[in-house]
């Protein structure tokens, strides 16, 4: 009988430990890219992004191929957004002016892929897999 209790308790402890492990979120390094503001100036749209590099290393260069869609879902243009150097854990603000379109006309921004992602110790595909897009505007942001 004592052997049965020991086996039962061991199984119970294992089950509890597995349940706790399943509930513990696994945090992976991310590159947070938030569309913080979108302002129309003259006939152009100025997009302001807040970027936080929570990767394990600084980025020397981060350039994304970006697709801009109008409110009806039609592709307005493909462009490159060069976020430049991004130190670890220090937020950076970058602005891009999209000529000949108003922000009110933009409905969605898609980060289509990383055109360039460079930094010591940065593996290929990191900028794409770690991308965490967000928005504080009415423009939807996807990655």
């Amino acid at each position: 009988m004592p052997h049965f209790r020991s086996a039962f308790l061991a199984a119970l402890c294992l089950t509890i430990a597995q349940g706790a492990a399943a509930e513990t979120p696994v945090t992976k390094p991310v590159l947070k890219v938030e569309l913080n503001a979108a302002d129309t100036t003259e006939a152009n749209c100025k997009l302001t992004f807040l970027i936080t590099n929570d990767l394990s290393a600084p980025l020397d260069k981060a350039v994304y191929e970006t697709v801009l869609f109008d409110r009806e879902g039609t592709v307005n243009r493909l462009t490159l957004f060069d976020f430049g150097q991004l130190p670890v854990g220090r937020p950076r603000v970058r602005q891009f002016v999209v000529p000949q379109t108003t922000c009110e006309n933009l409905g969605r921004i898609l980060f289509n892929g990383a055109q360039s992602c460079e930094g010591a110790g940065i593996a290929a595909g990191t900028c794409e897999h770690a991308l965490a897009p967000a928005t504080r505007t009415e423009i939807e942001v996807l990655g």
Side-chain angles (χ1 to χ4, degrees), residues 21-78:
E23 292 174 13
T24 304
V26 177
T27 58
K28 66 177 186 171
V30 296
L31 187 58
K32 300 172 192 167
V33 179
E34 173 191 272
L35 177 58
N36 189 271
D39 301 303
T40 298
T41 55
E42 298 173 17
N44 305 315
C45 179
K46 181 172 64 174
L47 301 171
T48 304
F49 289 91
L50 175 65
I51 306 99
T52 305
N53 175 3
D54 286 335
L55 300 172
S56 58
L59 291 173
D60 297 327
K61 187 174 186 179
V63 180
Y64 283 92
E65 178 185 82
T66 310
V67 185
L68 307 178
F69 295 86
D70 65 19
R71 292 273 177 201
E72 288 74 41
T74 304
V75 172
N76 174 288
R77 72 189 70 198
L78 271 78

